[in-house]
Amino acid sequence: MHPDLKEVLFTAEQIHARVQQMAERIAADYRDRDPVLVGVLDGAFIFLADLLRALPMQVRIDFVKWSSYGDRRTSSGVVQLVKDLSRNVEGEHVLVVEDIVDTGLTLRYLVANLRTRSVASLAVATLFDKPSRRKVEIEADYIGFQVPDEFVVGYGLDYAQRYRDLPYVGVLKPEIYGRT
Ligand code: PRP
């Protein structure tokens, strides 16, 4: 375990198994339509890469990036589109791929934005969900794991751009994020 962590919540094996299960459910639900996976940068790129390879059907991918002022613990509630989709999604079956839903603000803006583009269908897959932190009522359609209200990092989740590379997810020691 990385020395900055106080515990591991989900091992690489547990995450791998859960991603496969999610892919099976998604594959069954999308058996007659090919989705466009829309990854929310930056954190979702690892989950999207693994999910993509676990899905048996043809999928297109695209990415958006939204930024909230303040960090993940002190979100101001204002979310801004920083990078838009590269291609038109009108008439497409869009599956948003998130690493974590926390306050729900990013997802609310993103879903509202995508709904204006005449998509054929819209659903959301998130690997992690932190319902205890929710500020707006919104739920993903596919959820990997619920996480407690702790500072979790790894498998794409960062603190100050670090720890995204960890293959597992763990809780950061309070003295690490309390320092800055
Ligand atoms: C994280 C995560 C979600 C968002 C969720 O992104 O990837 O997009 O926060 O938080 P919310 O539900 O409170 O809106 P972040 O802004 O930390 O950017 P990153 O993915 O580049 O780390």
Side-chain angles (χ1 to χ4, degrees):
M1 179 173 79
H2 193 289
D4 292 355
L5 299 190
K6 68 174 188 185
E7 63 174 310
V8 172
L9 288 181
F10 307 108
T11 64
E13 292 74 23
Q14 288 171 323
I15 294 170
H16 176 77
R18 190 70 181 127
V19 172
Q20 301 302 312
Q21 285 175 349
M22 292 177 79
E24 281 170 25
R25 266 199 58 206
I26 291 167
D29 291 351
Y30 286 83
R31 60 190 171 279
D32 49 4
R33 49 203 171 128
D34 292 336
V36 179
L37 303 189
V38 171
V40 186
L41 294 172
D42 295 328
F45 79 103
I46 290 182
F47 174 41
L48 185 139
D50 284 347
L51 183 65
L52 174 70
R53 287 175 290 178
L55 286 171
M57 75 278 256
Q58 294 245 329
V59 291
R60 286 210 289 117
I61 61 164
D62 207 333
F63 292 94
V64 289
K65 185 172 171 67
W66 291 77
S67 101
S68 55
Y69 296 100
D71 60 31
R72 235 199 290 156
R73 291 196 82 79
T74 60
S75 172
S76 65
V78 180
V79 180
Q80 194 181 26
L81 183 65
V82 176
K83 182 223 168 290
D84 201 356
L85 293 169
S86 305
R87 284 171 289 275
N88 188 358
V89 287
E90 187 179 337
E92 300 283 357
H93 296 282
V94 171
L95 179 61
V96 171
V97 179
E98 259 290 21
D99 50 351
I100 190 164
V101 181
D102 192 332
T103 64
L105 287 163
T106 304
L107 197 54
R108 185 177 66 172
Y109 277 90
L110 175 55
V111 164
N113 180 283
L114 289 171
R115 285 207 189 285
T116 65
R117 306 188 193 204
S118 307
V119 293
S121 70
L122 183 58
V124 177
T126 188
L127 186 55
F128 301 106
D129 187 23
K130 211 189 258 187
S132 57
R133 291 252 309 155
R134 207 69 101 246
K135 287 186 179 163
V136 294
E137 231 176 273
I138 193 159
E139 290 304 327
D141 303 275
Y142 304 93
I143 298 170
F145 301 97
Q146 287 205 347
V147 293
D149 187 11
E150 302 252 31
F151 207 115
V152 291
V153 295
Y155 198 82
L157 295 168
D158 74 311
Y159 168 63
Q161 301 304 325
R162 296 180 62 201
Y163 314 108
R164 292 195 201 274
D165 56 310
L166 298 178
Y168 49 84
V169 163
V171 178
L172 203 57
K173 288 178 180 167
E175 59 262 38
I176 304 296
Y177 58 82
R179 268 200 310 237
T180 48

